[in-house]
Amino acid sequence: MLVLALDTATPTLVAGVARWSAQAGAEVLAERAVPSGNRHAELLTPAIHGVLADAAVAMGDLDAVVTGLGPGPFTGLRVGVVTAVALADARRLPVVGVCSLDAIGSGERIVVTDARRKEIYWAAYDAAGARTDGPGVVRPEELGRRGRFVGDPAFAARLNADVTPAEVRTEELLRAAGPQLADPSSAGPLVPLYLRRPDATPPTAIKAVSQA
């Protein structure tokens, strides 16, 4: 199975192409990790075309699409999920969504990424790599956990612990998506993990317009 993997949950956009099977797992053919900040919409499509060219495959060769569902910022997640759905729909391919934190690091760990507003997204995993808690959003000082931290080292001081640098990877996206790739009928709806309300909200009341 030839799979396109995407993630736009962090400031580094990831696009990858891999061959996957239930027996052998993922063989990554090409991957691009692009520092994107808030420019996901501008950079995602070129990254997809680039990684397909790097892997020497065409869009028509794909058998499935995997996308990270966050947690992450509203705009970035929307770009990635909508793109994955559009590509899958156009090619009539199955599309699988996974928690993006599941694709950062491996083994027993606590994953932490930047949630902005001086907060972190986090999730905890056991030795087998299964998520045991989270995802959640919290101030680093209030997390109250000990263990091997991986993710964004910028939060090491506030966590009072070392944080091993790690980012979303294609191989880990496919590992997390494995059960759903093996049985596409088990794939759930693509619901982005925002974990908080968007910054922009409609007004709760309409102000009357006074006339002079």
Side-chain angles (χ1 to χ4, degrees):
M1 179 181 288
L2 191 65
V3 182
L4 173 67
L6 308 174
D7 189 83
T8 55
T10 76
T12 299
L13 176 157
V14 175
V17 174
R19 295 198 182 277
W20 179 90
S21 71
Q23 296 75 28
E27 176 195 358
V28 178
L29 304 180
E31 180 180 64
R32 292 194 177 192
V34 183
S36 50
N38 294 323
R39 300 168 61 210
H40 297 92
E42 177 183 347
L43 298 174
L44 181 56
T45 297
I48 292 171
H49 288 304
V51 80
L52 290 171
D54 293 344
V57 300
M59 195 76 72
D61 298 325
L62 297 174
D63 298 303
V65 180
V66 170
T67 184
L69 298 177
F74 179 85
T75 302
L77 288 186
R78 183 176 57 185
V79 169
V81 172
V82 168
T83 299
V85 170
L87 291 175
D89 185 63
R91 297 290 175 178
R92 297 184 179 180
L93 303 175
V95 57
V96 171
V98 300
C99 174
S100 299
L101 300 181
D102 294 356
I104 300 176
S106 60
E108 187 172 6
R109 67 201 188 278
I110 300 171
V111 177
V112 294
T113 63
D114 188 3
R116 304 178 184 175
R117 305 183 192 175
K118 298 182 179 180
E119 294 179 324
I120 54 171
Y121 296 121
W122 71 276
Y125 300 82
D126 64 18
R131 181 160 22 103
T132 58
D133 203 355
V137 59
V138 70
R139 292 177 65 86
E141 299 86 353
E142 299 170 355
L143 181 56
R145 288 185 172 254
R146 290 291 177 264
R148 183 174 71 94
F149 287 92
V150 304
D152 192 337
F155 295 99
R158 296 178 61 196
L159 289 164
N160 193 29
D162 293 334
V163 179
T164 302
E167 296 181 340
V168 174
R169 301 304 301 267
T170 297
E171 181 176 1
E172 298 303 325
L173 282 168
L174 268 65
R175 180 192 56 75
Q180 298 177 79
L181 289 172
D183 178 13
S185 66
S186 69
L190 298 187
V191 180
L193 299 169
Y194 296 127
L195 299 192
R196 59 157 71 113
R197 296 179 183 274
D199 291 330
T201 58
T204 56
I206 299 176
K207 294 182 178 180
V209 178
S210 60
Q211 296 181 353

